[in-house]
Amino acid sequence: MGDFLAQLAPDLALLAPELVLLGGICLLLLVELGLGRRRPGLVWALALGVVLADGLALALQVGQSAHVVLTGTLRVAPATTYLKLLAAGAALLWLWAAPESKLLKTRGVGAGEAWVLSLGLLWGVQLLVQAQNLVLVYLALELVSICSYVLVAYSRAPGPSAEAATKYLLYGGFTSALMLYGFSLLFGLSGSLQLLPEVYAAAPALQLGVATGLALAGAFFKLAAAPLHFWAPDVYSGAPTWVVGLLATLPKIGAMGLLYHLAVGLAPGLGATWPLLLTGVILLSWSLGNLLALQQTHFLRLLAYSSVSQAGFLLLGPALNTPTGWAAAFFYTGVYVVLQLGAVAAASYYERCSGTLVFEQWRGLGRSGWGWALALGITLVGLVGLPPTAGFTGKLTLLLPLWSAYTTTGAGLYLVLLVGAVVFTVVGLAYYLKPLRALAQGGGEGRTDAFVPKLALVVALTAGVTLALGLLFFDTCVAWLTQVMP
Amino acid sequence: MVGLLSWLWLLPLAGALAVVLLPSRWAYLSRWATLVLTLVQLLLVVGWVLPAVGTGTLLGPTPATPMPVAFYETTPWLRLNLGSLGTLAADYALGVDGANGLLLLLHALLMPIAVGASWQEGRRPRTYFALLQLLNATVVGCFLAFDFLLFYLFFEVMLLPMFFLIGGWGGERRAYAALKFFLYTLLGSVAMLVVVVGLPFAQAGVHSTTYQALADPALRAPGAFYATPYGQQVGFVLLLIGFAIKLPAVPLHTWLPDAHVEASTPISVLLAGVLLKAGGYGLVRVAYGFFPAAGQALGFWMALVGVVGIVYGSLVALAQTDFKRLVAYSSVGHMGYVLLGAASGTALGLSGALYQLFAHGLVTAALFLLVGVVYDRVHSRQISAFGGLWQRLPRYTAVVALAFFAGLALPGTASFVAELLVLMGAFGATTDVPLWLAALALAGVVLAAVYFLWAFQRMFLGPWRVAGGADWEARLTDLSPREHLLLWPLVGLILLFGLWPALGLGPITAWVAAFFEASQTLLAP
């Protein structure tokens, strides 16, 4: 027993961020119980403090080499620390702006629940990105899911929010079942729960392929990759806007981490089946997401369908499954998170001004407050993938290894992906510009009289980062990621 | 370090910022600020850059390039370490030489003219002039760039201000036209992107994206995709798609008439006068620069596309009832000469193509301004709505006559020199351009004469007749001093460069000669 504890001590040191977060959540629950009614601001500040402490603990881990902890179930590596930092940063920024939500203001009592659930979501994501044990993967994924379900239904009123939560729950449950079935097959094939290549060395390819396809369902669902994207439009448009900011970012980071561990464990045994599997999903996501996004008039539905298409881009790196490919994918994940935060923040600002997220009714709003429109413009141009934004450099970094993979292996698959990536970038332009055009047009009655400092900070920060990474600095980020990928 | 050349694009960028930040009660100052800055830019180009291009003097650090460069500045920009794939190295490299010198002059000249043509713009002037300056900065950057990634960056960012300028300050169907323009040209850009991500990796060692490194066949690793003749042709065609859409070449031209009809006059001037030229410039500098052998091999197809453009553009122009559409289609026709000249594989043809970019920029800018003159007064551009305009608007008619003559390439105008060189190149082509194609292009010259002269006859000759009755008669006044000021410099330059072609052709032919020498290693059988 003493030996075991002695072994555990260094592991716990590596898990400091998660422990900080866990302690914070418990503390928050208690404080909310006592002070939630009288001092909601204090509870919010405490939640921010917890995320900040988590972020600091993570920052201390930057530069450490990879370790396997807790009897091999978790892998703490520079790449996972990067993803966790990304998640903590997104959560911090978003919790900072969340009190601007009308819903949270009117709700008053019980707003603390929102912070507890958000931190739970973050905790789940942090576990997910480092889990290399099937049971732990499942637990972390379910933690993310359950927090998400409750957050979507946060308004408690019957209506779109409840409908979205129900759909999310049903689709989520279905996907979990698929994934668990895959996991049980994987266990049957290997007799082990670990996601390591040597475990699956002797597994027959066909069975391994089927099991992997099923196991990937969980990641595809979180990424909103087709054909597991059906929840996205309803959840994006039905959930409270501030919740969308969390759902559009944190679970995606978790899914990328999960994909990484699945790739490490399963891809070597699959050979050419792995890229083939992902290519199918990528092409389906691109075509469905883009086609459906073209018709949307609701900003968040547009963002939801466009995120289906973006899932295709996020999956390019995993499809390549090379160190460079993963570095590019993780860089693009960061860019994507920044862009999504900016887009949702700007949208919630315009929702406040006009009372709607149907962007045709935002007409003229861009004329009175051009700063907001400019920031949204930079974000949307980034989502299209045009220079001089991080969206362009992110896509460029994805395409470079894709081309190299095509020329070195000669597999037409990569050429298809390359051509698809550039063609669907053009399609994206057709819908991403629509909200901007509405904002630039005259004829609306809406006025942007309100200045919302909290949202303004998020919008300015994301737009600034988008531009900064679009012209400079991105080579440093990618170089660092390439260097730390094993 | 940011050198002197950088100011040519940083100055407009600063201007854009300054205009946006003006308080609303000083909004009227935005046009003055923009005019002053563009004039300063013109002064810099004329007084400082061009003399050096003319004499071939090198200012700044010596570039490692065999081509004669007047100005060159470079600084490391991006070093993208991709692990086992090597490092992608993009430089912030700018330069001026014979290929882009005149285009820089053209752009610097058209900017203040466009500002002058926008003088009455009352709709959101600050945003308008800021976008104009942003466009200015990106076009200059695109012409100056000596690094492919940098070029691509400017080439694509250029679309954004143009999209908003057409979409925000255009006519009835402006939203449709702006999006069509953006989608078409972006499609071309992403075709180019495939080459951007691939070509540097054909080099062994460091994957540099400078023109010099990408154009050097010796740097390409044997066996790399772009080292093979097939790979080079693929790369050339991908680049061609990008530039042919921008140029535009038939059948990728359909965005152009819509964009022009919906855009306001100054925006049309810049679109036809400068942005299309960026396509032609890219074709010569990038597509031919990187893959001269492929360009040589595909000579027939290039010439075919060019001649189809000349003939088709002219025929469609002949059928137009809208004055502006006529000018727009005449642009399509005239840009065909650029393709034909480049396709001929001769120094004459290539020089003619580059000179045509410059000459046609002047001519088409004048033509679009002239369309704007009647449209501003009566809000109609129907050719059939006017007749005998020369009786009441003699000065206007005189300028139109000069511009039309330049349009149909009458001797004495710059376009005559350009088209003559192109045709001489086409008839003496070293590539497989057949004689009948060259002869067809010659027929295009006649067609241009037909549609211009016919339009002139219908609108300006005969008895005075306007569709709008007395109301129009009162409004149809002759050129205002401002319009004179905008038009005469263009007409003057058209004549100057037509009567004294050596002035512009000197640097161009020097560059073309060096270009053929440099690419000889590839062109040798």
Side-chain angles (χ1 to χ4, degrees):
Chain A
M1 190 66 197
D3 273 3
F4 180 69
L5 282 180
Q7 270 182 350
L8 207 56
D11 286 6
L12 289 181
L14 283 166
L15 291 176
E18 284 70 36
L19 293 176
V20 167
L21 207 50
L22 186 62
I25 292 173
C26 298
L27 184 67
L28 206 60
L29 273 172
L30 288 176
V31 173
E32 210 275 324
L33 210 58
L35 292 173
R37 213 171 274 263
R38 277 173 291 160
R39 305 284 298 277
L42 183 77
V43 183
W44 171 71
L46 186 64
L48 273 185
V50 170
V51 182
L52 206 60
D54 172 45
L56 283 178
L58 282 169
L60 289 175
Q61 289 188 352
V62 174
Q64 281 186 10
S65 52
H67 290 279
V68 177
V69 296
L70 291 187
T71 64
T73 50
L74 293 177
R75 185 184 164 83
V76 183
T80 59
T81 306
Y82 162 79
L83 288 180
K84 286 192 280 183
L85 261 176
L86 204 58
L92 184 67
L93 208 57
W94 202 246
L95 285 186
W96 155 260
E100 294 298 344
S101 156
K102 214 169 256 175
L103 178 70
L104 287 177
K105 271 188 179 156
T106 50
R107 182 78 169 273
V109 184
E113 288 168 9
W115 316 138
V116 174
L117 287 167
S118 308
L119 294 190
L121 184 60
L122 176 61
W123 198 55
V125 168
Q126 292 201 5
L127 279 183
L128 186 57
V129 297
Q130 52 191 354
Q132 55 173 2
N133 174 290
L134 291 178
V135 172
L136 215 63
V137 165
Y138 180 69
L139 283 177
L141 199 69
E142 283 307 291
L143 182 58
V144 173
S145 298
I146 290 168
C147 292
S148 314
Y149 301 148
V150 182
L151 280 171
V152 171
Y154 189 71
S155 71
R156 284 194 207 155
S161 174
E163 184 195 330
T166 315
K167 273 190 183 165
Y168 198 22
L169 181 69
L170 290 176
Y171 283 125
F174 172 69
T175 318
S176 289
L178 281 183
M179 190 183 71
L180 269 187
Y181 186 43
F183 282 4
S184 64
L185 288 179
L186 286 177
F187 181 66
L189 284 169
S190 65
S192 165
L193 290 167
Q194 294 298 94
L195 278 168
L196 296 169
E198 56 267 26
V199 170
Y200 296 97
L206 177 69
Q207 284 88 326
L208 189 61
V210 173
T212 307
L214 288 168
L216 281 170
F220 291 158
F221 178 75
K222 288 291 170 221
L223 280 178
L228 293 170
H229 67 284
F230 291 102
W231 60 275
D234 290 318
V235 167
Y236 274 52
S237 61
T241 309
W242 77 270
V243 172
V244 178
L246 282 179
L247 291 187
T249 51
L250 292 189
K252 315 258 173 189
I253 302 170
M256 290 306 284
L258 169 58
L259 272 170
Y260 177 66
H261 290 292
L262 289 175
V264 167
L266 303 173
L270 284 171
T273 319
W274 172 268
L276 205 63
L277 251 173
L278 286 170
T279 303
V281 174
I282 291 171
L283 292 179
L284 198 61
S285 301
W286 277 341
S287 15
L288 272 180
N290 278 302
L291 281 182
L292 293 169
L294 279 173
Q295 347 225 326
Q296 304 307 320
T297 54
H298 185 286
F299 186 84
L300 288 181
R301 282 189 91 83
L302 183 130
L303 206 64
Y305 279 114
S306 85
S307 77
V308 177
S309 155
Q310 294 283 359
F313 287 99
L314 286 169
L315 286 172
L316 283 176
L320 279 167
N321 196 26
T322 58
T324 334
W326 279 105
F330 285 168
F331 177 67
Y332 194 70
T333 310
V335 171
Y336 177 76
V337 164
V338 170
L339 293 173
Q340 293 288 314
L341 279 180
V344 180
S348 57
Y349 172 73
Y350 284 118
E351 188 190 15
R352 273 175 69 119
C353 297
S354 65
T356 174
L357 280 163
V358 178
F359 53 77
E360 279 304 317
Q361 293 178 28
W362 293 353
R363 276 164 175 268
L365 287 182
R367 297 195 173 176
S368 40
W370 59 266
W372 296 90
L374 183 68
L376 181 61
I378 291 170
T379 307
L380 290 176
V381 167
L383 282 168
V384 181
L386 294 186
T389 65
F392 170 70
T393 50
K395 279 188 180 166
L396 183 71
T397 341
L398 281 172
L399 297 184
L400 291 171
L402 212 51
W403 171 263
S404 295
Y406 167 64
T407 47
T408 50
T409 66
L413 198 72
Y414 298 117
L415 189 64
V416 170
L417 287 179
L418 183 70
V419 172
V422 298
V423 169
F424 284 111
T425 296
V426 180
V427 182
L429 182 77
Y431 53 83
Y432 278 126
L433 286 181
K434 276 184 182 173
L436 281 189
R437 217 164 55 194
L439 282 174
Q441 272 169 358
E445 300 96 68
R447 290 277 314 164
T448 52
D449 35 25
F451 179 72
V452 190
K454 287 203 175 80
L455 283 177
L457 181 80
V458 177
V459 164
L461 208 61
T462 51
V465 170
T466 307
L467 280 185
L469 287 178
L471 290 170
L472 304 163
F473 311 126
F474 90 98
D475 50 341
T476 325
C477 298
V478 176
W480 181 78
L481 279 170
T482 314
Q483 199 194 328
V484 301
M485 291 313 297
Chain B
M1 230 1 256
V2 175
L4 291 168
L5 216 47
S6 301
W7 289 109
L8 286 180
W9 75 272
L10 287 177
L11 198 69
L13 196 66
L17 274 180
V19 164
V20 158
L21 295 177
L22 275 179
S24 54
R25 65 201 144 108
W26 290 343
Y28 66 94
L29 280 180
S30 50
R31 58 183 186 183
W32 281 106
T34 311
L35 182 68
V36 169
L37 276 182
T38 50
L39 284 174
V40 169
Q41 192 187 10
L42 177 63
L43 217 63
L44 281 177
V45 170
V46 173
W48 174 62
V49 178
L50 285 186
V53 175
T55 57
T57 343
L58 182 79
L59 305 175
T62 320
T65 157
M67 317 289 273
V69 177
F71 282 86
Y72 192 73
E73 66 174 75
T74 179
T75 182
W77 172 35
L78 295 172
R79 291 291 177 269
L80 190 59
N81 181 359
L82 291 167
S84 58
L85 303 184
T87 299
L88 185 80
D91 286 345
Y92 172 76
L94 302 180
V96 179
D97 59 12
N100 59 6
L102 275 191
L103 290 171
L104 201 61
L105 168 67
L106 173 71
H107 171 71
L109 179 75
L110 290 189
M111 265 324 289
I113 289 181
V115 174
S118 323
W119 209 245
Q120 319 279 13
E121 188 58 67
R123 292 173 288 178
R124 305 183 300 288
R126 279 174 301 172
T127 323
Y128 177 84
F129 285 106
L131 285 171
L132 212 58
Q133 285 285 45
L134 194 61
L135 183 71
N136 184 355
T138 54
V139 171
V140 171
C142 182
F143 282 144
L144 286 182
F146 263 50
D147 180 283
F148 193 27
L149 193 66
L150 193 66
F151 171 86
Y152 182 80
L153 199 91
F154 283 120
F155 195 78
E156 214 166 89
V157 178
M158 196 195 290
L159 305 178
L160 281 168
M162 202 50 173
F163 168 77
F164 285 107
L165 283 169
I166 298 175
W169 287 265
E172 277 301 305
R173 291 168 67 233
R174 56 180 183 259
Y176 164 79
L179 190 62
K180 192 170 176 183
F181 156 77
F182 205 161
L183 283 175
Y184 260 78
T185 40
L186 185 65
L187 192 67
S189 298
V190 297
M192 208 190 316
L193 184 60
V194 175
V195 181
V196 174
V197 301
L199 189 54
F201 288 93
Q203 303 162 27
V206 172
H207 310 302
S208 168
T209 59
T210 56
Y211 286 162
Q212 191 238 338
L214 290 179
D216 193 345
L219 286 178
R220 283 178 208 159
F225 178 74
Y226 284 119
T228 61
Y230 169 71
Q232 295 191 15
Q233 292 192 9
V234 170
F236 183 82
V237 169
L238 283 172
L239 293 174
L240 182 65
I241 292 172
F243 297 125
I245 289 177
K246 194 92 166 184
L247 198 54
V250 178
L252 301 171
H253 67 288
T254 53
W255 62 271
L256 179 106
D258 284 315
H260 272 308
V261 167
E262 298 307 325
S264 61
T265 302
I267 303 310
S268 276
V269 167
L270 288 179
L271 182 61
V274 188
L275 263 74
L276 306 191
K277 275 55 192 177
Y281 169 70
L283 182 79
V284 174
R285 170 82 82 187
V286 173
Y288 273 93
F290 296 172
F291 306 113
Q296 195 84 347
L298 295 170
F300 170 74
W301 297 104
M302 290 280 297
L304 185 68
V305 173
V307 172
V308 165
I310 296 172
V311 174
Y312 179 82
S314 306
L315 284 175
V316 178
L318 199 57
Q320 294 308 312
T321 54
D322 182 313
F323 193 9
K324 200 169 186 181
R325 281 188 96 89
L326 180 137
V327 177
Y329 274 108
S330 94
S331 281
V332 176
H334 283 97
M335 286 296 96
Y337 290 101
V338 177
L339 281 171
L340 181 64
S344 74
T346 59
L348 278 179
L350 193 59
S351 307
L354 282 170
Y355 204 57
Q356 170 76 342
L357 290 177
F358 174 66
H360 183 257
L362 295 174
V363 174
T364 199
L367 286 172
F368 277 115
L369 283 174
L370 290 165
V371 174
V373 169
V374 279
Y375 186 71
D376 280 349
R377 285 165 176 62
V378 295
H379 294 285
S380 170
R381 292 184 303 240
Q382 289 301 310
I383 294 174
S384 58
F386 304 94
L389 287 181
W390 69 279
Q391 297 181 4
R392 311 258 175 109
L393 293 81
R395 291 188 187 87
Y396 178 58
T397 310
V399 183
V400 169
L402 282 171
F404 275 17
F405 290 152
L408 57 86
L410 207 68
T413 62
S415 25
F416 168 74
V417 180
E419 288 176 21
L420 185 70
L421 285 173
V422 166
L423 288 170
M424 282 162 72
F427 277 108
T430 60
T431 56
D432 51 356
V433 177
L435 274 184
W436 60 268
L437 266 182
L440 260 179
L442 199 58
V445 179
V446 181
L447 277 176
V450 174
Y451 65 75
F452 271 129
L453 291 179
W454 191 35
F456 191 76
Q457 184 205 348
R458 282 181 291 170
M459 287 182 74
F460 294 92
L461 304 182
W464 169 263
R465 170 185 60 79
V466 287
D471 178 38
W472 278 31
E473 287 196 20
R475 280 191 279 159
L476 274 173
T477 50
D478 211 343
L479 293 179
S480 68
R482 180 174 63 90
E483 285 160 346
H484 276 295
L485 211 60
L486 299 180
L487 284 164
W488 283 108
L490 288 173
V491 174
L493 284 181
I494 291 169
L495 293 175
L496 176 70
F497 281 94
L499 296 170
W500 189 12
L503 190 63
L505 271 174
I508 287 183
T509 47
W511 183 84
V512 167
F515 171 76
F516 275 103
E517 202 174 316
S519 53
Q520 218 164 30
T521 42
L522 267 182
L523 294 178

